[in-house]
């Protein structure tokens, strides 16, 4: 236990100290935390085997997975704050169209590229793996995006649309992956399982939304019995932890495997609570401050999980480069076209796609499921390589795009103790 505590303290302090260095390079703090995790991970300092100094093995990092899961729960709960009724009335249709269209477009573009690669060189990647990777490409990681938005106090039409799109991306990606993985499994086995392709993913989405809505409503009812800020904060933290814990449950009913999505459940809880509570804004601000160290540890641990061993596999690098290039093309073109269809401004059309590039936890979970394919190790390694690239580059690209859109003020003109000057409200179509 003492070694774990020392290791966590080194991770927290090391990540924060490195963030001061990358600030001079104009990079987001998220990048520093990820790099700190890489340095402390089992491929760098951790490989020295010094107890407490870094993470010595991948199993040691996995043993701290509860921290990552809790952090994701709070991140999703905070994103739920973006789905306020006044914003949904003006942006709801755009969010749904953009969220679905860009994800589907990305899947199609990556599928076409990898299927073409399969027919050119069948020994590089199998057809089932190509189809599965296309669906995994649709997933976007909300955590890095939210951290960049918070660090630079980004505000404006692009920021609001971005946070909403990455929130529903989990649901869209889940359906796309279930369908694609079902097709891939059918290619190998010769039988289509309708339950796993359609019933289970739709049930997971519905159950997640119901559990999240119930949790948000109960939080609101219980909060009314407390009046002090500290007690309301404590109750809120307890409910988010409870919601995150319940969302990890798995069970089976009549041969159908059921479960919940952590991100969707906690996001829905935050959405319901923030729409029915008259003191939600102050409480959310206090929760954000309380969870700041937890978020640092989340990204350091995420960096420590990145497998540098994939860099020594030329075949993985080749397929990974194709995957990254065409996923980026799919995200950008899909976002641009869907924003054009819904009448978004030029600012949003030009910059939204770049901010959707980060990819991490959800895609890794999908890759783990895909390992049951005959070529599943290729899928896992390609996703690991893409996560390594996107997590290190994505936050900086998100910051650059938000600055280009005029929703982040240049560094040196803001302070952590003050908010940015209010941005003049602009309609998405202007």
């Amino acid at each position: 236990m003492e070694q774990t505590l020392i290791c966590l303290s080194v991770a927290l302090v090391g990540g924060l100290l490195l963030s001061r260095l990358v600030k001079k390079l104009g990079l987001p703090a998220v990048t520093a935390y990820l790099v700190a995790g890489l340095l402390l991970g089992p491929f760098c300092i951790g490989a020295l085997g010094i107890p407490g100094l870094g993470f010595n093995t991948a199993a040691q990092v996995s043993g701290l997975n509860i921290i990552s899961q809790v952090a994701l729960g709070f991140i999703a709960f905070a994103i739920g704050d973006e789905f306020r009724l006044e914003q949904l009335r003006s942006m709801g249709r755009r969010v749904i169209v953009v969220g679905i269209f860009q994800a589907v477009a990305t899947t199609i573009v990556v599928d076409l590229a990898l299927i073409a690669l399969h027919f050119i060189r069948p020994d590089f990647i199998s057809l089932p793996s190509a189809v599965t990777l296309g669906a995994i490409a649709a997933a976007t990681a909300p955590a890095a995006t939210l951290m960049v938005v918070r660090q630079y106090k980004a505000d404006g039409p692009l920021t609001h649309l971005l946070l909403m799109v990455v929130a529903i991306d989990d649901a869209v990606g889940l359906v796309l992956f279930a369908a694609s993985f079902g097709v891939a499994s059918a290619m190998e086995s010769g039988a289509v399982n309708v339950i796993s392709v359609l019933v289970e993913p739709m049930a997971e989405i519905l159950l997640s939304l119901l559990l999240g809505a119930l949790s948000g409503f109960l939080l609101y009812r219980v909060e009314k019995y407390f009046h002090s800020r500290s007690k309301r904060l404590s109750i809120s933290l307890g409910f988010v932890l409870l919601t995150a814990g319940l969302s990890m449950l798995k069970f089976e009913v009549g041969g159908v495997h059921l479960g919940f999505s952590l991100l969707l459940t906690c996001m829905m809880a935050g959405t319901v609570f923030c729409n029915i509570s008259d003191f939600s804004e102050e409480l959310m601000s206090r929760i954000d401050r309380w969870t700041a160290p937890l978020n640092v540890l989340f990204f350091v641990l995420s960096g420590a999980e990145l497998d540098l061993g994939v860099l020594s596999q030329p075949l993985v690098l080749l397929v990974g480069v194709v995957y990254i290039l065409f996923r980026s093309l799919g995200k950008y073109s899909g976002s641009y076209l869907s924003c054009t269809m819904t009448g978004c401004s030029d600012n949003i059309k030009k910059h939204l796609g770049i901010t959707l590039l980060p990819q991490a936890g959800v895609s890794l979970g999908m890759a783990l499921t895909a390992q049951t394919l005959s070529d599943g190790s290729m899928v896992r390694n390609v996703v690991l390589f893409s996560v390594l690239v996107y997590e290190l580059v994505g936050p900086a690209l998100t910051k650059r795009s938000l600055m280009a859109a005029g929703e982040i003020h240049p560094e040196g003109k803001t302070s952590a103790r003050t908010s940015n000057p209010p941005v003049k409200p602009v309609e998405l179509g202007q």
Side-chain angles (χ1 to χ4, degrees):
M1 182 178 294
E2 63 274 11
Q3 290 182 12
T4 300
L5 289 175
I6 294 172
C7 193
L8 288 175
S9 66
V10 170
L12 181 59
V13 175
L16 290 171
L17 289 176
L18 192 59
S19 70
R20 303 306 301 169
L21 176 62
V22 302
K23 184 178 181 181
K24 298 182 182 298
L25 302 176
L27 297 174
V30 176
T31 303
Y33 306 149
L34 291 166
V35 172
L38 270 176
L39 295 176
L40 294 172
F43 293 94
C44 294
I45 296 176
L48 299 176
I50 303 175
L53 184 61
F55 305 99
N56 305 133
T57 63
Q60 184 181 1
V61 181
S62 300
L64 299 171
N65 190 49
I66 186 173
I67 296 177
S68 300
Q69 294 298 96
V70 170
L72 274 177
F74 280 103
I75 288 169
F77 187 75
I79 290 178
D81 187 34
E82 294 296 318
F83 287 83
R84 292 184 179 270
L85 288 177
E86 58 270 21
Q87 293 184 3
L88 288 175
R89 291 190 186 100
S90 62
M91 300 172 60
R93 185 178 70 87
R94 287 189 174 102
V95 171
I96 294 174
V97 172
V98 174
I100 295 176
F101 190 93
Q102 57 84 23
V104 173
T106 302
T107 295
I108 293 174
V109 169
V110 175
D111 271 344
L112 291 175
L114 292 180
I115 290 173
L117 179 62
H118 163 75
F119 283 113
I120 295 172
R121 291 297 302 267
D123 55 319
F124 280 12
I125 185 171
S126 67
L127 190 57
S129 293
V131 172
T132 303
L133 278 170
I136 295 176
T140 299
T145 301
L146 181 63
M147 287 292 286
V148 172
V149 168
R150 283 179 173 175
Q151 178 183 353
Y152 297 105
K153 304 179 181 66
D155 189 26
L158 173 60
T159 301
H160 294 304
L161 181 62
L162 166 63
L163 291 177
M164 287 183 165
V165 169
V166 297
I168 69 169
D169 207 59
D170 185 35
V172 180
L174 179 65
V175 174
L176 289 172
F177 175 74
S180 297
F181 183 62
V183 171
S185 299
M187 289 179 183
E188 293 193 342
S189 65
V192 178
N193 188 339
V194 178
I195 291 179
S196 62
V197 173
L198 295 176
V199 177
E200 290 181 352
M202 296 307 297
E204 180 173 329
I205 293 172
L206 181 60
L207 289 173
S208 299
L209 295 177
L210 289 175
L211 176 60
L214 178 62
S215 177
F217 177 75
L218 290 177
L219 172 59
Y220 165 70
R221 299 296 299 177
V222 173
E223 289 273 11
K224 297 181 71 174
Y225 292 103
F226 299 91
H227 302 287
S228 72
R229 294 178 176 177
S230 59
K231 290 180 179 178
R232 282 183 168 177
L233 174 63
S234 299
I235 287 293
S236 301
L237 297 178
F239 260 86
V240 176
L241 290 173
L242 175 62
T243 304
L246 291 175
S247 70
M248 298 178 194
L249 295 177
K250 305 289 182 183
F251 52 97
E252 184 177 341
V253 178
V256 179
H257 296 86
L258 301 174
F260 306 91
S261 164
L262 171 66
L263 290 173
L264 278 181
T265 304
C266 292
M267 181 203 71
M268 189 62 179
T271 298
V272 171
F273 175 72
C274 291
N275 276 287
I276 62 179
S277 174
D278 55 358
F279 50 82
S280 61
E281 290 189 13
E282 178 190 352
L283 191 58
M284 294 296 286
S285 177
R286 293 173 66 84
I287 290 176
D288 288 346
R289 291 194 292 270
W290 185 89
T291 57
L294 187 65
N295 291 333
V296 174
L297 284 176
F298 167 73
F299 285 104
V300 174
L301 291 173
S302 297
E305 285 182 320
L306 297 178
D307 189 354
L308 296 182
V310 298
L311 298 179
S312 63
Q313 304 175 40
L315 186 58
V316 171
L317 294 180
L318 174 61
V319 178
V321 168
V322 174
Y323 173 87
I324 290 172
L325 289 177
F326 283 91
R327 179 180 180 270
S328 302
L329 174 62
K331 284 291 180 183
Y332 187 84
S333 60
S335 299
Y336 191 93
L337 290 174
S338 57
C339 286
T340 301
M341 290 188 298
T342 53
C344 293
S345 66
D346 290 338
N347 240 359
I348 295 176
K349 287 190 289 187
K350 288 189 295 185
H351 301 297
L352 179 63
I354 300 298
T355 62
L356 294 174
L357 292 182
Q359 188 175 41
V362 176
S363 60
L364 290 173
M366 293 176 178
L368 185 63
T369 302
Q371 283 192 117
T372 56
L373 296 173
S374 59
D375 196 20
S377 59
M378 169 62 76
V379 175
R380 176 183 177 275
N381 289 334
V382 168
V383 173
L384 284 172
F385 173 61
S386 71
V387 167
L388 174 64
V389 174
Y390 279 126
E391 284 295 90
L392 293 177
V393 177
L397 293 176
T398 298
K399 175 199 171 185
R400 181 177 179 181
S401 294
L402 291 174
M403 286 191 69
E407 299 188 8
I408 290 179
H409 290 267
E411 288 187 83
K413 296 185 179 181
T414 61
S415 167
R417 297 178 176 82
T418 60
S419 298
N420 279 339
V423 176
K424 181 181 179 181
V426 179
E427 292 296 328
L428 286 177
Q430 292 182 353

